[in-house]
Amino acid sequence: MKAQEVFRVKQAYGSGIVEIVIWQVPQPVPPSGHPYKYRLVYAVDGQRVLGYDNERGKGDHKHVGRHEESYRFISPQQLMADFMADLKEHCHDETDS
């Protein structure tokens, strides 16, 4: 089986752009133990502000500004819900500035 795209969207959001791409892959991307490869990003003026991904060698993690922390992947649906919750919080913070 080849990698199959499960979901893709790119659209304006807040003062930036959101791009979400999720693939189902035949083998987990080490050290992740699930069959998905993903990239979810919110960028403003070409700079990543928020991002979730599972890079080979790093596993599931997220970027909030310059800070990076591990992320516990449960499902593609939960991944998108967690990203959107962080995104809404971030955009709310932008309007408070």
Side-chain angles (χ1 to χ4, degrees):
M1 168 179 120
K2 290 183 178 181
Q4 293 182 321
E5 190 172 277
V6 174
F7 187 83
R8 178 182 293 267
V9 67
K10 184 175 183 178
Q11 65 185 38
Y13 188 94
S15 57
I17 300 287
V18 166
E19 184 173 14
I20 299 173
V21 185
I22 303 173
W23 298 271
Q24 186 169 6
V25 293
Q27 298 292 322
V29 177
S32 298
H34 54 78
Y36 296 98
K37 172 74 178 143
Y38 58 87
R39 179 182 74 246
L40 298 83
V41 66
Y42 173 60
V44 176
D45 297 327
Q47 297 294 313
R48 179 183 59 207
V49 175
L50 175 67
Y52 284 53
D53 65 278
N54 62 332
E55 181 180 330
R56 182 175 294 278
K58 282 189 170 184
D60 304 295
H61 63 283
K62 69 179 183 176
H63 306 263
V64 181
R66 295 177 189 245
H67 177 74
E68 184 178 312
E69 62 187 72
S70 64
Y71 171 73
R72 185 171 162 254
F73 181 92
I74 296 171
S75 69
Q77 296 82 3
Q78 187 63 52
L79 171 70
M80 288 192 285
D82 292 343
F83 177 76
M84 292 307 295
D86 280 351
L87 181 58
K88 287 177 184 173
E89 182 177 321
H90 177 78
C91 285
H92 177 73
D93 291 347
E94 280 183 351
T95 59
D96 289 345
S97 300

